[in-house]
Amino acid sequence: MYRTNTCRELTAKDEGKTVTLSGWVHRRRDHGGLIFIDLRDRYGLTQVVFDPKFNKESHATAEDVRPEYVLKVTGEVRKRIEGQANPNMKTGEIEIYINEIEILNESKTPPFEIDQEKDVNEELRLKYRYLDLRHDRMRNNIILRHKMIKEIRDFMDKEGFLEIETPILIKGTPEGSREYLVPSRLYPGKFFVLPQSPQQLKQMLMIAGFDKYFQIARCFRDEDQRGDRQPEFTQLDMEMSFVEEKDVMKVNEDLLIDLTKKFAPDKKIMKTPFPVMSYREAMDTYGSDKPDIRFELPIVDISDIVKNSKFGVFKNAVINNGVVKALLVNNIADWPRGDLDKLEELAKIHGAKGLAYFVYKEGEIKSPITKFLSEKEIDEITKKTGAKTGDIVFFSADEYVTACESLGQVRLECGRKLDLIDENVFAYLWINEFSMFEKKKDGQIDTVHHPFTRPSDEDKKLLESKPEDAKAIAYDIVLNGCEIGGGSIRIHEQSLQQKIFDILKITPEDAEMRFGHMLEAFSYGAPPHGGIAWGLDRLVMLFAGEPNIREVIAFPKDQKAKDLTLGAPSVIPKKDVAEANVKIINTN
Ligand code: ASP
């Protein structure tokens, strides 16, 4: 028998018992004859003591033991002497006097310390992930993830959802990313692709009549790595029949509130029911389609004030169908120039050409651009923003999205610098009324969400005349400025689906080849339906208070999409490559 107890179990109540524990040497201290070892397992730590007077042989063996050795020890539970108890440890009242020790395995000196977490480069952590996962923080993250997923399953089951697995080897599904291809050995020249999401399959499950589906689904997107993304990630995917937008929102809201109460009990939910804000309002006011509403600092539009201005930068932005936006930040007029330069850099990273501002100081406005503006324009800007002495007003003048987003980033940074963000708050909100379509840089029209998204009833007529103006019944759920999920009500009529393909300039042949199965399925009584998918890694990350999703994934890819633990992707023997009917063209 390896153990009678775990390393987090024994307390003063167990005094006098003989117990056996197995685990890793977390820390070892030699105190003039007595050797103390903190023995660690998944559950916690227990202090074990080797006293030559108690057992000479065990003590001698313990002398050779090093950190991360695996031990099995047997001994007697004793209460620690007065003043030696450790109230921070579950087992802190006791220690085990050891009379038998077996070294189950030795360990090389780990490449980084396990008993305390120091700043270690991530490459090394990922290469030795099995050691990194021994750190308390990482273990707790993985446990939290397990518990949250279990709670989700229980909740969904209670709500009548069925968990149904969908295949990993499929035909492409259009979520807008490049797909991972899997060559078919049996059908030379043909490929499976890995799902970007189970989108089409979950819609087919609605057609099959399952009514409420969910899945903890692995998704794959072969994108160049930007930001905090992973080539494979996990969604909570769901779909429901006979629902409207508000029905989907309701279940999701209930589940998020349940998770918050159980796993982030210290966080105060900012508002329930969660606020619902249109895409346009979010962009207009917060300069983001995933606004952090834990603090105010609203952006205002001053296009009307400056549309006839002598200041070309402002006037031309409006003439070219763009906008001029302004952001008031109180009491920062004495920020050093360097800080303002950094804000300008930030605005530029987000597409702005520069960042103009008014500094309201000593009864006047200091700014190189006031000389181009009329007194009336300046007064109106001051009035509209509400600026007073001590404040700064920042401006952006550009096409709509760039003007909003660049100033939105300045807003966020000011909020952070001014400590306006209450870290004890979880601010959930819904963003809806997205456009159906967007124009890509190459002039091509594409869907904002995906081609199965339903246009709003009022806007269906626009599909013929002005599809760019049509709104979708699509929604995103946002938490503290992070998008944690998105979904839509779907098209269930074959003819409407065909129309969307036409607008997207997908030829009937192409539509038939890529989505023929969907069009066909829609012709057998598809019910009205809709759904959503959450980025589960991101949600767990926010609950764990971690800065990136790799910290809550047991074996993530690195930022260059490599698996450093296993060393993948890797070269495959020529014979296997040939068998898969693949010819390698380029090895760079
Ligand atoms: N399949 C969508 C996605 O992965 C989510 C949805 O529309 O339900 O973003």
Side-chain angles (χ1 to χ4, degrees):
M1 188 186 40
Y2 283 109
R3 56 184 173 186
T4 54
N5 296 85
T6 71
C7 293
R8 197 195 152 79
E9 239 182 311
L10 300 163
T11 62
K13 285 199 211 81
D14 299 292
E15 194 182 4
K17 281 188 191 158
T18 297
V19 295
T20 302
L21 303 180
S22 287
W24 287 260
V25 175
H26 189 61
R27 220 172 273 143
R28 177 183 172 283
R29 298 178 300 277
D30 206 326
H31 280 191
L34 288 185
I35 296 172
F36 294 88
I37 288 177
D38 287 341
L39 200 66
R40 184 191 71 236
D41 65 9
R42 178 188 129 189
Y43 308 92
L45 297 171
T46 299
Q47 177 164 294
V48 300
V49 187
F50 298 86
D51 180 348
K53 288 196 228 102
F54 188 71
N55 190 302
K56 209 167 174 183
E57 239 175 89
S58 304
H59 180 269
T61 310
E63 288 202 314
D64 297 333
V65 158
R66 294 287 167 267
E68 300 309 309
Y69 273 33
V70 189
L71 308 182
K72 175 182 154 188
V73 291
T74 300
E76 186 190 312
V77 182
R78 289 192 185 172
K79 243 171 125 167
R80 294 197 200 178
I81 49 168
E82 281 283 316
Q84 298 287 316
N86 180 350
N88 301 323
M89 241 165 114
K90 170 86 194 315
T91 60
E93 296 169 316
I94 56 104
E95 55 200 357
I96 323 281
Y97 270 68
I98 302 301
N99 44 31
E100 260 175 62
I101 171 172
E102 187 183 336
I103 296 177
L104 297 175
N105 214 341
E106 297 181 353
S107 169
K108 289 206 283 188
T109 303
F112 42 76
E113 283 162 276
I114 308 288
D115 65 336
Q116 47 184 312
E117 231 193 311
K118 297 213 171 125
D119 228 1
V120 177
N121 108 26
E122 196 177 16
E123 211 171 300
L124 199 64
R125 287 178 54 208
L126 289 174
K127 178 165 180 211
Y128 295 98
R129 191 59 155 184
Y130 45 89
L131 297 179
D132 186 37
L133 289 171
R134 288 183 187 174
H135 286 127
D136 274 351
R137 180 179 62 88
M138 294 303 287
R139 185 177 54 246
N140 289 338
N141 287 351
I142 299 300
I143 293 172
L144 173 69
R145 184 182 177 112
H146 157 79
K147 288 190 172 158
M148 287 178 73
I149 292 178
K150 161 113 179 25
E151 180 63 24
I152 289 172
R153 288 201 156 104
D154 291 347
F155 180 97
M156 296 304 271
D157 178 62
K158 260 202 321 267
E159 291 286 324
F161 283 80
L162 298 172
E163 181 167 13
I164 306 176
E165 287 165 87
T166 52
I168 293 294
L169 296 177
I170 64 162
K171 185 166 167 172
T173 186
E175 308 285 342
S177 295
R178 192 182 296 111
E179 292 166 323
Y180 278 98
L181 309 178
V182 182
S184 161
R185 176 181 62 81
L186 293 175
Y187 301 97
K190 299 205 166 140
F191 293 82
F192 289 106
V193 308
L194 304 183
Q196 296 189 49
S197 85
Q199 184 61 37
Q200 297 183 57
L201 292 151
K202 67 174 172 174
Q203 291 193 242
M204 288 195 176
L205 289 170
M206 295 303 106
I207 300 173
F210 282 110
D211 191 51
K212 286 180 175 181
Y213 140 95
F214 86 102
Q215 183 179 190
I216 306 296
R218 193 64 65 82
C219 304
F220 307 84
R221 299 185 186 177
D222 187 3
E223 288 294 274
D224 294 328
Q225 293 305 290
R226 58 194 161 87
D228 187 20
R229 299 206 178 171
Q230 282 280 303
E232 60 177 300
F233 60 97
T234 306
Q235 287 187 342
L236 162 62
D237 190 42
M238 68 177 91
E239 197 75 7
M240 303 158 80
S241 292
F242 309 116
V243 287
E244 296 174 340
E245 178 181 87
K246 63 176 180 352
D247 303 310
V248 181
M249 287 179 174
K250 175 81 173 87
V251 199
N252 280 269
E253 201 158 311
D254 288 348
L255 175 52
L256 284 166
I257 292 171
D258 176 75
L259 289 170
T260 309
K261 284 192 178 145
K262 292 210 162 85
F263 301 108
D266 304 343
K267 304 284 181 186
K268 188 174 159 306
I269 296 179
M270 189 162 161
K271 204 163 172 215
T272 54
F274 299 167
V276 182
M277 194 183 286
S278 70
Y279 166 81
R280 187 79 193 190
E281 189 188 343
M283 288 294 274
D284 274 343
T285 318
Y286 297 98
S288 169
D289 59 357
K290 40 180 184 301
D292 191 338
I293 54 166
R294 284 176 295 178
F295 64 101
E296 286 294 332
L297 294 190
I299 294 169
V300 294
D301 195 295
I302 56 158
S303 308
D304 264 357
I305 301 175
V306 296
K307 63 178 184 240
N308 299 316
S309 172
K310 292 213 174 69
F311 185 38
V313 176
F314 283 2
K315 188 176 84 178
N316 294 336
V318 184
I319 289 176
N320 295 324
N321 284 327
V323 287
V324 183
K325 297 268 176 191
L327 168 74
L328 166 74
V329 185
N330 296 126
N331 304 323
I332 61 164
D334 53 1
W335 272 10
R337 183 60 195 263
D339 286 9
L340 300 175
D341 289 347
K342 278 198 198 120
L343 289 176
E344 176 160 22
E345 272 311 300
L346 183 69
K348 282 184 174 167
I349 292 171
H350 291 272
K353 290 175 204 78
L355 181 69
Y357 45 84
F358 285 179
V359 182
Y360 291 77
K361 209 171 182 174
E362 291 148 14
E364 50 177 342
I365 298 175
K366 304 205 182 283
S367 168
I369 65 167
T370 41
K371 60 176 175 282
F372 303 114
L373 294 160
S374 71
E375 213 161 291
K376 180 161 171 276
E377 285 163 348
I378 294 172
D379 282 351
E380 282 183 31
I381 291 170
T382 304
K383 208 156 124 223
K384 178 126 193 201
T385 55
K388 50 179 180 25
T389 298
D391 299 344
I392 294 187
V393 172
F394 298 96
F395 301 100
S396 63
D398 219 306
E399 51 87 23
Y400 181 73
V401 172
T402 307
C404 294
E405 287 187 345
S406 57
L407 214 51
Q409 291 296 326
V410 173
R411 170 187 175 270
L412 271 181
E413 186 54 27
C414 290
R416 276 187 212 117
K417 271 176 77 84
L418 292 168
D419 231 347
L420 300 180
I421 301 174
D422 184 346
E423 296 294 343
N424 296 315
V425 167
F426 264 12
Y428 291 102
L429 92 153
W430 290 100
I431 304 295
N432 68 357
E433 293 180 20
F434 288 91
S435 295
M436 273 294 282
F437 302 101
E438 64 185 347
K439 261 217 174 87
K440 294 261 150 176
K441 284 200 190 86
D442 57 8
Q444 286 273 38
I445 190 155
D446 201 358
T447 46
V448 171
H449 194 45
H450 53 59
F452 307 117
T453 296
R454 187 172 196 79
S456 74
D457 283 337
E458 319 72 274
D459 288 357
K460 263 196 224 144
K461 49 188 181 308
L462 287 175
L463 293 180
E464 306 289 350
S465 51
K466 265 185 134 192
E468 317 83 84
D469 289 356
K471 296 268 184 310
I473 313 179
Y475 32 78
D476 280 354
I477 175 77
V478 172
L479 167 56
N480 292 353
C482 290
E483 182 200 322
I484 53 170
S488 57
I489 298 299
R490 327 292 184 191
I491 295 164
H492 59 274
E493 309 90 328
Q494 193 194 40
S495 55
L496 183 55
Q497 187 65 68
Q498 184 62 59
K499 190 173 284 167
I500 301 298
F501 290 150
D502 293 344
I503 293 169
L504 294 171
K505 303 231 163 34
I506 301 178
T507 60
E509 301 78 59
D510 207 20
E512 178 53 34
M513 193 180 80
R514 287 169 61 198
F515 307 118
H517 51 277
M518 281 301 270
L519 289 169
E520 166 117 45
F522 284 148
S523 69
Y524 289 100
H529 60 287
I532 191 168
W534 300 359
L536 205 53
D537 310 290
R538 180 145 299 133
L539 188 75
V540 178
M541 169 193 99
L542 291 169
F543 272 67
E546 289 291 356
N548 70 65
I549 61 174
R550 299 184 297 285
E551 303 301 306
V552 298
I553 300 175
F555 298 103
K557 307 283 182 282
D558 74 350
Q559 279 169 299
K560 292 185 189 132
K562 281 190 177 161
D563 176 334
L564 298 181
T565 317
L566 300 178
S570 63
V571 173
I572 300 274
K574 280 209 175 84
K575 164 177 123 333
D576 298 349
V577 175
E579 219 169 45
N581 293 303
V582 171
K583 209 187 238 161
I584 293 175
I585 300 176
N586 197 337
T587 50
N588 287 331

